[in-house]
Amino acid sequence: MFFFFLVIIVNSTTALLAQSRDVVARRDLARLAPDFAKDGVVYVEDYLSPRAFKSVVRESRGYVPTMRPETMDSVAKGRWGAYLPPESDIARILCSEHVCDSLRDISDRLVVASDFPIELRRYPRNARMKWHCDQALYEQPQLECVYTVENTSDSRTEWERRDGAIVSQSMRPNSLLVVLAEGPKHRVTPVTRGERVIAKFVYTSCPLKLPAWAHEPPSFLFLLADDIGWGDVSYNGGIAATPRLDAWSKRDGSITLQDMHSAGTVCSPTRATVLTGRNHFRDCVDYVYDCSDMTECEPDGTCAGGGTCDFAPRRTFTVADAVRNTHRSLFVGKWHLGSLFNDTSHASSPTTHGFGTFNATVGVAPTADANCQCSADWVGSCDFGHYNTSTHCFGTGNPCGDACNPGCCFNYWWNDDAPHGVANLSWPSPLDDSTYVADALATFLADDHTSPFFAQLSFHNCHVPFVGTPSARARCAAGETCRPPANGVPYTDAELDYYSCLTELDGAIGSVLDLLDARGYGRDALVWFATDNGPEVNCEPLGFCGGTVDRPTQAPGSAGILRGRKRDVWEGGHRVPSIVSWPRRYSGPAFASWDLISTVDFLPTVLDILQVERPQAQANWSIDGTSILPVFDRQHPMPSRGLGWWYRVATPDTAHGYAFRYGNWKFLYDLSTDLEERNDLANVYPDILSALMANFSAFNASVQYSRQVESQC
């Protein structure tokens, strides 16, 4: 028999402070209320009691080594910072009832501590903060509180009074500056000697944030790559250099999602989940569509090899629907969710599902010279890379005629007044297809630099046929963009194509991020990058590949240490590289999140931000995603929830594989200690397995209900 003892240790400083009423120095602070009412700012010296002040100083010195430079902050320059956990002494002191009471006296308003985390900030030499007004994120009043912990600097804080006069104040230790958001302009002059340490915290009349678009809706950009493994990006140990993704992952305001999952294990299913927030089987997408171009075939609701592929036949609510009243919207790249013809019984284009405009291929396309086999005049420019011929072609006939293979035209289409409501590209697409996708966004934003937008860019990189440009292959082979082979064996032609495809995708994503900054969207846009599943070619029969972790013998593409690849329900089939950023909500130091996140979470996050609800007719339809805003706030973990995967057939079976995860447990592996899924614990913890099976059965029953009643597959 095992006995578990729970020992609770109470921090002595916190206990003493909690017992004492002497947290804020006793004085009549209400006398400052008229000044605050007039100018929206007030400065108080000797704010905390000596005991509380001493505790704050002592703990803050322990946090200083954890601070990181805020290199991308648009207001402060050269400042360092660290967010404090809510259980810290500083947080308990500054979020106490005693501080709250004092701020009520100063503001003559009812205020409470907000849910915004306290940030400890350090101004070393050359640090400064330019003139600005604090942005209101809460119901008014929002009190921005700057408590000076230590100050040996010559810097001064300055603010503008309502009458236009500038007040310049050297901030003494144990002083508090209270500024009304959307109120007076203020700044911190450059530090030329010494340094200053402050704690920034917020009080408000309502602890819940306003929708982030209270002043202007944010833009949304979802970047979806294709068949790229968790271990393919260089920040996860990949061979190909991905410097722009690496830099993004380290930039202030960025969150690397290390436990991010595609909700499907192949292309079309995952694409459905991004849009609907639901498991793809709920909306009748069982497998993948198999049409290369609308001139050769029309997807009719049947999957490749049979089965149901009729995306959302009852028009399930999508992200594009959610933003329709507030945003322009665009879809670019690989659609793979049905027919692009808008005048047929099988119409299932991006505009059918809510987008304002699109520029898309109906399905898979090569990553080089995508449409070179759509015209006899272009076929001579085709670069087939290591394949040496066309491949992955689906359809009959070809607009190119006898000079090209049937089903091998892969062209871009957009909504237009032409027949079928679409027109296609009448000139050759670029050698590097990822640049076409990125440039389409630039064209979309060219005429309007200010209004909010939603765009999904679905790159073909690096689905079969993946082909790198000759220059990219040469740079990889020369070791410029690829790590030299560890065993000295040169990379194969297939590997050179794959790694080049990755670096070209990285460059395209970098150009998109640069575009957002240049057009003024960098701070306000929520940008989310992910891939649709793991890398291609399975390692039969158990998902363990030969070769090395980063260079498996079966095919290029790495899931890292994870077991399985595309199509597999093991982690390597659906745990994917992912980064998300929204500096308007979180602009602190970059960090890695290990919260369980999925592509089904995009729609609920947008709904949460915009405070939009699904239409009444679908209000009770099942939804599997959840908002990831808690990840941005860093104060609370994502809520525990179950996620299930199975492949190709609507009813789970052992032949195709199925898996269910709740917390760190997944049929039955403990992912907290066994991310490689090598140690099956089903016989060790039968009760946990039984509980997971019960949850999975309920989840599957819900999916089957959605198919029959909601979507009517």
Side-chain angles (χ1 to χ4, degrees):
M1 180 178 294
F2 293 90
F3 294 89
F4 294 87
F5 296 92
L6 178 62
V7 180
I8 301 176
I9 301 175
V10 179
N11 182 285
S12 58
T13 302
T14 303
L16 286 171
L17 290 171
Q19 294 167 11
S20 171
R21 302 295 299 175
D22 192 23
V23 172
V24 176
R26 290 172 177 158
R27 66 170 70 86
D28 179 18
L29 294 176
R31 62 183 173 79
L32 300 173
D35 292 335
F36 185 79
K38 182 177 70 172
D39 293 321
V41 60
V42 70
Y43 172 69
V44 184
E45 292 186 346
D46 299 320
Y47 178 66
L48 294 180
S49 69
R51 178 185 295 176
F53 173 50
K54 182 178 180 181
S55 177
V56 170
V57 171
R58 180 172 58 248
E59 188 176 45
S60 70
R61 289 175 178 173
Y63 278 107
V64 166
T66 70
M67 292 183 179
R68 295 182 58 186
E70 301 175 7
T71 56
M72 298 299 293
D73 196 291
S74 61
V75 175
K77 303 298 180 184
R79 190 174 68 188
W80 292 53
Y83 284 92
L84 302 182
E87 65 271 14
S88 68
D89 275 347
I90 296 175
R92 286 169 172 158
I93 291 170
L94 296 181
C95 294
S96 68
E97 269 303 309
H98 315 110
V99 170
C100 184
D101 289 342
S102 74
L103 293 174
R104 289 171 184 168
D105 289 341
I106 291 171
S107 65
D108 198 24
R109 305 279 186 90
L110 182 65
V111 292
V112 294
S114 77
D115 61 350
F116 200 85
I118 293 177
E119 185 177 9
L120 199 65
R121 292 171 171 173
R122 171 175 165 255
Y123 286 81
R125 187 174 179 182
N126 296 324
R128 65 193 186 279
M129 185 166 64
K130 62 187 180 182
W131 285 106
H132 71 289
C133 291
D134 291 312
Q135 182 183 19
L137 299 177
Y138 300 84
E139 297 287 353
Q140 292 282 8
Q142 175 183 323
L143 308 184
E144 301 281 331
C145 303
V146 179
Y147 176 77
T148 299
V149 182
E150 297 185 88
N151 191 5
T152 61
S153 76
D154 59 346
S155 175
R156 302 178 72 86
T157 296
E158 299 180 341
W159 61 88
E160 184 180 49
R161 293 194 325 205
R162 193 179 296 271
D163 62 8
I166 302 297
V167 178
S168 182
Q169 179 69 52
S170 176
M171 311 299 285
R172 292 181 53 185
N174 196 21
S175 67
L176 180 71
L177 182 72
V178 183
V179 182
L180 182 67
E182 305 289 347
K185 293 192 301 181
H186 53 287
R187 70 168 181 168
V188 176
T189 64
V191 177
T192 62
R193 65 175 183 271
E195 67 177 33
R196 179 184 173 204
V197 176
I198 67 168
K200 167 75 178 295
F201 58 102
V202 178
Y203 272 70
T204 178
S205 60
C206 175
L208 299 177
K209 284 185 175 65
L210 289 169
W213 56 274
H215 304 283
E216 178 74 20
S219 293
F220 301 99
L221 176 60
F222 199 94
L223 306 171
L224 188 65
D226 204 328
D227 287 10
I228 293 173
W230 186 83
D232 273 325
V233 291
S234 51
Y235 68 75
N236 276 344
I239 287 175
T242 53
R244 296 306 304 269
L245 287 172
D246 291 2
W248 181 15
S249 72
K250 297 173 184 175
R251 190 172 70 182
D252 283 359
S254 295
I255 306 169
T256 303
L257 304 177
Q258 292 288 41
D259 200 358
M260 169 72 186
H261 297 260
S262 59
T265 63
V266 287
C267 308
S268 301
T270 294
R271 291 158 204 280
T273 68
V274 172
L275 296 177
T276 66
R278 290 157 49 98
N279 179 281
H280 55 94
F281 286 113
R282 294 188 190 275
D283 292 304
C284 316
V285 183
D286 298 355
Y287 189 44
V288 297
Y289 294 85
D290 62 350
C291 180
S292 295
D293 191 72
M294 298 304 299
T295 60
E296 301 164 329
C297 48
E298 181 182 1
D300 61 0
T302 302
C303 298
T308 301
C309 276
D310 188 11
F311 176 42
R314 296 189 66 205
R315 272 294 281 116
T316 304
F317 186 75
T318 68
V319 182
D321 293 321
V323 304
R324 181 174 293 179
N325 294 328
T326 52
H327 293 63
R328 299 175 295 143
S329 60
L330 168 73
F331 181 92
V332 183
K334 177 180 172 180
W335 175 238
H336 221 195
L337 285 171
S339 174
L340 299 181
F341 286 172
N342 286 319
D343 61 350
T344 69
S345 59
H346 301 299
S348 185
S349 74
T351 53
T352 307
H353 296 282
F355 284 92
T357 188
F358 67 87
N359 190 337
T361 62
V362 69
V364 172
T367 64
D369 295 314
N371 71 349
C372 69
Q373 291 196 82
C374 296
S375 169
D377 295 332
W378 308 340
V379 68
S381 67
C382 288
D383 181 354
F384 298 121
H386 70 282
Y387 301 98
N388 297 315
T389 187
S390 55
T391 184
H392 219 78
C393 304
F394 297 97
T396 58
N398 191 313
C400 176
D402 294 339
C404 305
N405 293 326
C408 292
C409 170
F410 307 88
N411 213 353
Y412 279 93
W413 297 75
W414 52 86
N415 45 316
D416 193 270
D417 294 331
H420 304 299
V422 290
N424 62 2
L425 201 60
S426 58
W427 58 89
S429 58
L431 179 60
D432 176 2
D433 184 72
S434 65
T435 62
Y436 182 91
V437 175
D439 289 346
L441 178 64
T443 301
F444 178 71
L445 297 179
D447 297 329
D448 187 342
H449 297 181
T450 57
S451 62
F453 71 91
F454 160 51
Q456 180 175 333
L457 306 187
S458 291
F459 295 91
H460 295 104
N461 304 53
C462 291
H463 192 289
V464 173
F466 52 82
V467 179
T469 62
S471 60
R473 291 196 293 260
R475 289 194 301 272
C476 177
E480 297 175 18
T481 58
C482 296
R483 192 170 65 242
N487 57 6
V489 177
Y491 294 125
T492 66
D493 287 344
E495 288 175 317
L496 290 175
D497 268 335
Y498 186 79
Y499 300 145
S500 300
C501 174
L502 281 171
T503 58
E504 289 174 332
L505 169 69
D506 180 77
I509 290 175
S511 70
V512 168
L513 298 177
D514 292 342
L515 173 70
L516 295 181
D517 289 338
R519 297 286 168 83
Y521 290 104
R523 175 173 172 78
D524 288 335
L526 187 157
V527 186
W528 193 335
F529 161 74
T531 75
D532 62 350
N533 44 249
E536 181 60 275
V537 180
N538 299 102
C539 298
E540 303 292 357
L542 298 176
F544 296 113
C545 299
T548 60
V549 165
D550 58 354
R551 197 180 178 189
T553 55
Q554 282 78 359
S558 171
I561 64 171
L562 307 177
R563 179 180 181 181
R565 295 163 74 86
K566 179 179 180 178
R567 302 178 190 85
D568 290 328
V569 296
W570 291 305
E571 289 291 286
H574 48 79
R575 187 184 290 238
V576 296
S578 184
I579 304 171
V580 66
S581 61
W582 184 21
R584 187 167 168 183
R585 179 76 178 219
Y586 174 72
S587 59
F591 68 96
S593 166
W594 290 87
D595 289 289
L596 175 59
I597 311 290
S598 169
T599 50
V600 292
D601 296 334
F602 183 53
L603 171 63
T605 301
V606 173
L607 296 180
D608 192 8
I609 293 169
L610 298 181
Q611 297 295 288
V612 172
E613 296 182 354
R614 293 185 294 170
Q616 186 61 38
Q618 296 183 24
N620 294 322
W621 284 25
S622 294
I623 191 165
D624 300 301
T626 187
S627 170
I628 70 164
L629 288 190
V631 177
F632 285 100
D633 294 338
R634 298 196 69 180
Q635 280 195 302
H636 308 289
M638 288 285 289
S640 296
R641 39 82 180 264
L643 287 176
W645 295 266
W646 57 100
Y647 167 64
R648 191 158 184 167
V649 291
T651 303
D653 62 26
T654 54
H656 293 88
Y658 58 90
F660 187 78
R661 177 175 169 185
Y662 195 94
N664 285 319
W665 289 101
K666 179 186 172 192
F667 281 170
L668 185 65
Y669 301 92
D670 181 359
L671 298 179
S672 67
T673 60
D674 183 23
L675 201 55
E676 300 174 58
E677 295 176 287
R678 290 180 178 273
N679 187 20
D680 188 344
L681 300 175
N683 293 329
V684 180
Y685 298 107
D687 291 345
I688 295 178
L689 176 62
S690 178
L692 277 180
M693 286 300 301
N695 277 274
F696 178 63
S697 295
F699 178 69
N700 178 41
S702 171
V703 170
Q704 301 308 322
Y705 177 86
S706 294
R707 292 177 63 83
Q708 297 166 17
V709 178
E710 296 168 356
S711 295
Q712 298 178 8
C713 299

